[in-house]
Amino acid sequence: MATDQSILAFNPFEGDFGEPGDTMLSNKMVVAAKPHECCHCKSVIPKGERHRCQIGKYGDFMTHRWCATCCELMAQCTDDDDYDSENTDAVDEFEQRAAQAAQGGE
Ligand SMILES: [Zn+2]
């Protein structure tokens, strides 16, 4: 079962950032007030859906949102109840979603 903590603990940008001055300003679960696009798999986050919203300063201010499905996978990635290390299957599946979105064009 995904918990907010296990979702928010996953760092999708590990290795991608790390410039001096980069800051995470906000990292929390929110309810969509209007439709958004998932930054990872490019699916629509419908109004009213609970999803992860992260706001950071990476040179510029950036807002990233992840849909409920991606959140579920992120939670699985950090859920180490049954594993000694990261759940690599879930990480692979999570990464696949981005790859499929990239191949889908639009
Ligand atoms: Zn998504």
Side-chain angles (χ1 to χ4, degrees):
M1 186 63 195
T3 63
D4 289 1
Q5 201 176 25
S6 59
I7 296 166
L8 297 172
F10 184 75
N11 178 10
F13 301 130
E14 201 163 21
D16 290 351
F17 292 98
E19 295 294 315
D22 285 0
T23 327
M24 191 193 293
L25 302 172
S26 175
N27 180 35
K28 60 184 179 182
M29 300 302 292
V30 298
V31 174
K34 59 179 185 176
H36 294 286
E37 184 186 76
C38 175
C39 71
H40 188 70
C41 71
K42 309 298 179 196
S43 12
V44 174
I45 301 169
K47 182 180 174 181
E49 181 167 279
R50 208 154 172 276
H51 66 282
R52 179 181 176 180
C53 178
Q54 184 177 300
I55 301 168
K57 186 172 175 295
Y58 311 109
D60 291 319
F61 287 98
M62 305 266 287
T63 302
H64 294 94
R65 297 173 187 276
W66 291 266
C67 68
T69 308
C70 287
C71 286
E72 180 69 31
L73 281 169
M74 287 194 279
Q76 288 177 28
C77 292
T78 61
D79 188 357
D80 59 1
D81 284 353
D82 303 321
Y83 298 86
D84 289 333
S85 58
E86 231 177 21
N87 183 343
T88 51
D89 284 352
V91 173
D92 285 350
E93 197 177 335
F94 183 73
E95 295 301 334
Q96 272 300 315
R97 291 177 67 76
Q100 283 166 8
Q103 285 166 9
E106 299 293 317

